[in-house]
Amino acid sequence: MLEIVLSQVVSGLVLGGLYVLIAIGLSIIFGLLGIVNFAHGAFFTLGAYLALTLYQYFGWPAVILAPVAVGTIGMVAERLLIQRLYDKEPLISLIVTFALALLIEASVRLIWGGIGQPFNPPAALSGFLIWGPILITKYRFSVLLATAAVLLLLWLFLEKTRFGRILRAGSRDPEMVGLLGINLPRVLTWVFGLGCAISGIAGVLAAPLWTITPSMATNAIMPAFVVVAIGGLGSFAGAVIAGLLVGVVIALTIQFYPAASGAVMYLFMALMLLLRPRGLLGERWERFE
């Protein structure tokens, strides 16, 4: 029993790591732009499909370009659509980004078709790793390490670099940032692109674990919203903690009570929000209250 529990906990951390990456991008966009991006799951799907296409033409080394392409598409979308929503009601941003999600999914179906496509991990990452009672595939372990590396680099970027400080300052006092001579609209474009690129990284990592389909966005966006709600809107650390907790809870539920695996994260969210309505590390956002 202990071996089963430990193995499921590790698998849950891998799943939770993917949820964290998706939710972090969503949280950054909300925290810095005040936009609830319902199209975030669509950018996750784009990351998976672009990775598949780049792999087929150029091999595995080219796969790292997929998140860059997703981020670039996100920046174009921000310039054309999202920047018009900053002074509008939150409901309008939900409607527009939902329409954007539908547009991206329809484009994916048109370009790649609606049939699911497998994506095998690199041959070097096939097989299993065994540590005492813990059994995990090499690829899942590599996903866990990659997730940790991305989160560390993102934290260092936001906390230690000049551009990261500008981003955090712009989220709190955009007028002051503008008075300092900083081109805030350009900064916000880069922020949206960064959030989309992180979602694209999650799509690339998830592609060998999930069958790539146009509807896989649904399997990404709902857990992302759950993680953000539990962790707290706009909270980096809250999203990390909540994502890992949700992943472990789902993995253990799949093992011991599979029938409830689809609903357990929503029950977990309801319980957490009853105890802490703003989430684990959430802050007050007056424009949403």
Side-chain angles (χ1 to χ4, degrees):
M1 179 63 69
L2 178 60
E3 294 179 0
I4 294 175
V5 171
L6 290 177
S7 294
Q8 287 301 111
V9 167
V10 173
S11 295
L13 291 176
V14 175
L15 178 63
L18 293 175
Y19 290 162
V20 167
L21 287 180
I22 304 167
I24 282 292
L26 188 66
S27 187
I28 286 175
I29 290 173
F30 173 81
L32 300 178
L33 278 67
I35 296 292
V36 181
N37 182 21
F38 209 89
H40 205 66
F43 289 104
F44 169 86
T45 303
L46 272 180
Y49 271 102
L50 289 173
L52 176 63
T53 300
L54 289 170
Y55 166 72
Q56 290 174 343
Y57 283 98
F58 306 106
W60 274 103
V63 169
I64 61 174
L65 297 177
V68 178
V70 173
T72 303
I73 294 171
M75 292 171 68
V76 172
E78 193 276 343
R79 297 290 290 179
L80 295 177
L81 292 174
I82 306 301
Q83 67 175 210
R84 307 171 189 272
L85 307 176
Y86 294 146
D87 57 347
K88 302 295 191 301
E89 291 295 323
L91 180 60
I92 298 178
S93 68
L94 276 174
I95 295 173
V96 172
T97 55
F98 179 69
L100 178 60
L102 295 178
L103 174 62
I104 292 175
E105 181 175 339
S107 300
V108 167
R109 291 181 182 275
L110 179 64
I111 297 171
W112 286 283
I115 301 175
Q117 302 185 50
F119 189 31
N120 296 321
L125 297 179
S126 61
F128 293 86
L129 295 173
I130 301 176
W131 288 298
I134 299 175
L135 176 67
I136 185 174
T137 65
K138 290 182 180 179
Y139 183 73
R140 287 180 180 272
F141 182 68
S142 68
V143 168
L144 196 57
L145 293 180
T147 300
V150 170
L151 293 176
L152 177 60
L153 291 174
L154 181 61
W155 179 81
L156 291 173
F157 170 74
L158 293 175
E159 295 292 332
K160 305 299 181 181
T161 66
R162 178 177 179 272
F163 192 72
R165 289 191 289 271
I166 292 173
L167 296 186
R168 290 185 286 114
S171 70
R172 297 305 179 198
D173 196 342
E175 293 183 1
M176 180 58 68
V177 170
L179 291 175
L180 292 175
I182 297 171
N183 189 334
L184 188 60
R186 183 178 299 174
V187 170
L188 297 182
T189 300
W190 280 98
V191 169
F192 194 84
L194 175 64
C196 294
I198 296 171
S199 184
I201 292 174
V204 172
L205 295 175
L209 299 175
W210 304 356
T211 300
I212 303 178
T213 64
S215 61
M216 67 187 295
T218 304
N219 297 327
I221 191 63
M222 295 312 298
F225 276 117
V226 168
V227 168
V228 170
I230 294 174
L233 291 172
S235 172
F236 185 102
V240 174
I241 297 170
L244 296 178
L245 284 174
V246 169
V248 170
V249 168
I250 290 176
L252 291 175
T253 305
I254 290 174
Q255 178 64 39
F256 296 106
Y257 191 21
S261 60
V264 66
M265 67 176 176
Y266 301 109
L267 295 175
F268 185 51
M269 177 181 68
L271 176 62
M272 293 300 298
L273 293 182
L274 283 174
L275 298 175
R276 290 187 61 85
R278 289 188 184 130
L280 293 174
L281 300 175
E283 302 177 13
R284 183 180 178 186
W285 294 84
E286 289 83 356
R287 64 181 292 188
F288 289 90
E289 297 182 355

